[in-house]
Each structure stands twice: as structure tokens, then as C-alpha cells.
Amino acid sequence: MPPRTSAPSPGRRPLVVTGDGDLLDDLLRLAAASGTEVELASDPAAARTRWLPAPLVLVGVDQAQPCLRARLPHRPRLVLVGQTGQLDPGWQIAELIGAEHVAILPAAEPWLVDRFAEHGTDRPVAAARIVAVIGGRGGAGASILAGGLAVTAARARLRTLLVDADPLGGGLDLVLGWEQMDGFRWPALTGADGRVDAPALVRSLPREGDLVLLSWDRGDLLPLPAPAMAATLDAARRGRDFVAVDLPRQLDDAAVVALQAADRAYVVVPAELRATAAAARVAASAAPHCADLSVIVRGPAPGRLRADEVARALNLPLAGTLRPEPAITRGLERGEAPTATGRGPLATLCQRIVAEVTGTATAGAA
């Protein structure tokens, strides 16, 4: 019997979602035959944080309805698996959960061995790291932090994508001073629901050097479908090194997809009592979707509320603090991107975060 393992690895492993012991034994046997280790989840709750990062997901027929009820996002390379007789006449569920293939055992065993081998850990995996940023309250500075992280990563020669997931946020193109640059915005990509070609995505968006931006236009407010976000982040993992996502405080389905895909997420909270109270609600809604959530506290502190007190109130690790930088606000009005000079408290914090997340050195002060 091959060993049952759900331990994470440095690479991304195929994910098997089933509570059926017999089906699981068969799938582990096929994975072992291909020389591939897999991650296991018995239900959608256990699968949620690994659903999008996994290169391949196999869902047992026993978990098809639970996955549908859990509203897990559509993703590419999803296979519905069952034994002979289990899927008759339930093929409609495959379309509802977004499965690209239906595999019936034992007939599909050779095909599944090939799929395991194709997406196993012996193959190169995308190196992109995804960081999500969310404001604990309005005006907390999350968009500026997201922009600063993206600019810092690009200065470090990392191929970077900055994603604006907040349709009511005013536009990250304004944060970078890119509002006049040509290129697609979200409305042109909202129909994406499958595999997006990474080079084509990069070519279509506003870009400068290693930094590429996906933001909103100034047209009618449109919903951002979760499949479009999933397809975009899938392409980003394959074609970029670093992705920063600016999230809305009220999480929609697309924001949940981004949180689930993120390697780390940060809640930005001003050092104020009411801001901390508001951030507690934001953190509570975000925490179930991201395994690595921490807080960044921004000064000043009018009531002398300390950063560690804010973190303790939110029951989150403290990832850093920020001092006021009036020069950043003045620079934004002139179209100057945050951290572009590589100097100041925000730049220092962004350099540390990018280095920690990617394991690379970043460009410091000139």
C-alpha cells in the first residue's frame, strides 16, 4: 500500500479530494505508479486553501455535491473521478463543478497515471508567489502597500503582476500614475473562465519594464467573475515571479479566489481603536480563506495604541509597522509610484516582505 501523505512540499502536488476509502486507495496506487506524491483532502473545507495552487485536482464523485455547495471556484485541470456505476447518470455534476474530464475506474487508470506523471513534482513548477493585501478599514493604505510591493519586486528584477481586485477602490493605475497607458483592463478579461495564455496576458496589459498591471477602467461598474480571477492567477503563476493583489474589504467571490491562491495575506490597520474594531470583522472574513494572514499597523497612533496591541486584538501575527510618509501622498498626486526611489519606511517594509516571500534580495536605497 503506498503511503498516505498530505504534507506540503517545496513544489505543488496534485490534490485528491475524496472521503471514499476504496477510491482513495485506487488513486494513491495510480499516483505511486507514476512516481508522484499527492496531497489529500477529505472534503471541500480541507481542500479550500490548496484548491487553486494545485497543478491538478481530482475530485471523487462522493465530494462532487459538497464541492458544489461549498462554491469552490472553477479552475483548469479538474477531474471528476469515480468507479464504474458511480457516475451514472450523474454526468451533469461534472459540468456544474467545472470538471474538464470525467475518469471512470478501472477503464481510466492508464489515463490517470499519465495525468499524475504530467503534473507530478518531478516536473518544473511555476515560481510565482502571490501576496494579497486588504484594508482593515477604508483609507487604511492597502492599495499603496500593494502598489509598493509590486514596484519593489519589479525593482528587484522580478517579473511582477499587480492586480486590482477592488472595483470600488479608485484604480491602481492612479497609484502607479499609469492611467493614460494603453492596455486591457478587467472588463476585457471578465469572460475568461479557463486557461489563459500567460505571455498573451502580459502583452495585453499596461506594463513598464518587469511590472505589469491589471486594473479597472473608468466605465460602468461590472462584477468580477471568480473564474476570470482564477484563470488570471493561474496564468500569473505560470508567467510571473511575483503577484500582488489589492483586495476589497467586502470579499466577493473573486476576492475569495485570490485569497485562496495567496501564499501570504496582510491586513493593513491604522493604529486607532475604531480602525482595529473594523479590522476585526475584515480579518474574521478573510482568515478562513488564507492560511498565512498577518497584520501591518500604520501610524500615527493618536491614542498611543501600540502595534502589538492591535495585533493581539485581531489575534494575528504582526508583520510590520509603517510610519507616516507625507511625501508618498504628495508623490501620488504627481503620478509618482510608491517605493519608486527605494527609500523610506514603506520601501523598507516592502523590501523585507518581497525578500521573505520570494527568497530573493531586493533593491535597497540608491
Side-chain angles (χ1 to χ4, degrees):
M1 178 73 61
R4 300 186 180 212
T5 176
S6 60
S9 72
R12 301 282 180 177
R13 295 173 175 173
L15 174 64
V16 174
V17 185
T18 183
D20 183 329
D22 292 336
L23 178 61
L24 177 59
D25 288 342
D26 283 338
L27 293 176
L28 289 175
R29 172 175 55 82
L30 298 175
S34 72
T36 300
E37 294 184 348
V38 300
E39 293 195 59
L40 307 179
S42 59
D43 54 36
R48 187 173 292 278
T49 59
R50 293 171 286 174
W51 181 262
L52 287 174
L56 173 72
V57 174
L58 279 69
V59 174
V61 64
D62 63 296
Q63 292 302 310
Q65 286 287 354
C67 284
L68 186 62
R69 289 194 296 269
R71 299 176 67 194
L72 295 177
H74 284 206
R75 53 151 293 147
R77 299 178 300 283
L78 176 63
V79 181
L80 181 63
V81 188
Q83 305 283 358
T84 298
Q86 287 184 320
L87 291 167
D88 298 328
W91 288 72
Q92 184 179 8
I93 191 66
E95 181 177 354
L96 293 176
I97 68 171
E100 292 182 349
H101 304 280
V102 176
I104 302 177
L105 302 180
E109 287 190 358
W111 183 84
L112 280 175
V113 170
D114 289 343
R115 298 292 77 72
F116 277 128
E118 179 182 354
H119 298 291
T121 54
D122 57 335
R123 294 176 58 85
V125 294
R129 309 297 286 178
I130 299 177
V131 169
V133 182
I134 183 169
R137 68 155 168 81
S143 296
I144 293 176
L145 176 61
L149 287 168
V151 171
T152 298
R155 293 183 78 247
R157 310 276 180 128
L158 297 173
R159 298 171 302 165
T160 302
L161 173 64
L162 176 58
V163 179
D164 187 351
D166 186 358
L168 298 177
L172 285 182
D173 53 351
L174 291 171
V175 172
L176 297 183
W178 287 16
E179 61 269 24
Q180 302 301 323
M181 291 184 66
D182 293 332
F184 285 173
R185 268 62 172 179
W186 267 123
L189 301 175
T190 51
D193 59 1
R195 191 174 176 88
V196 174
D197 181 70
L201 176 67
V202 171
R203 289 193 301 269
S204 69
L205 299 176
R207 66 174 298 169
E208 185 174 293
D210 287 321
L211 178 55
V212 180
L213 172 67
L214 177 52
S215 187
W216 295 90
D217 61 15
R218 302 293 181 266
D220 294 339
L221 184 63
L222 299 174
L224 177 51
M229 177 64 78
T232 298
L233 294 181
D234 177 68
R237 278 206 183 275
R238 290 180 280 113
R240 300 276 88 189
D241 301 315
F242 184 86
V243 181
V245 187
D246 182 26
L247 297 177
R249 289 185 299 124
Q250 181 116 11
L251 299 178
D252 55 18
D253 289 345
V256 169
V257 166
L259 266 178
Q260 291 171 354
D263 298 288
R264 292 189 186 183
Y266 301 95
V267 181
V268 183
V269 185
E272 303 167 6
L273 183 60
R274 288 188 63 203
T276 302
R281 292 181 177 271
V282 174
S285 66
H289 306 294
C290 184
D292 192 342
L293 181 68
S294 55
V295 62
I296 293 173
V297 179
R298 181 175 64 80
R304 299 187 178 181
L305 187 62
R306 299 197 312 270
D308 63 323
E309 292 175 328
V310 174
R312 195 160 50 247
L314 299 180
N315 196 27
L316 292 176
L318 179 62
T321 59
L322 284 170
R323 299 196 307 271
E325 287 188 84
I328 289 182
T329 303
R330 293 194 297 268
L332 290 175
E333 294 297 322
R334 296 192 296 265
E336 299 171 1
T339 75
T341 65
R343 295 188 294 272
L346 177 61
T348 299
L349 176 64
C350 290
Q351 289 158 17
R352 176 168 62 80
I353 290 175
V354 172
E356 290 174 352
V357 171
T358 64
T360 61
T362 60

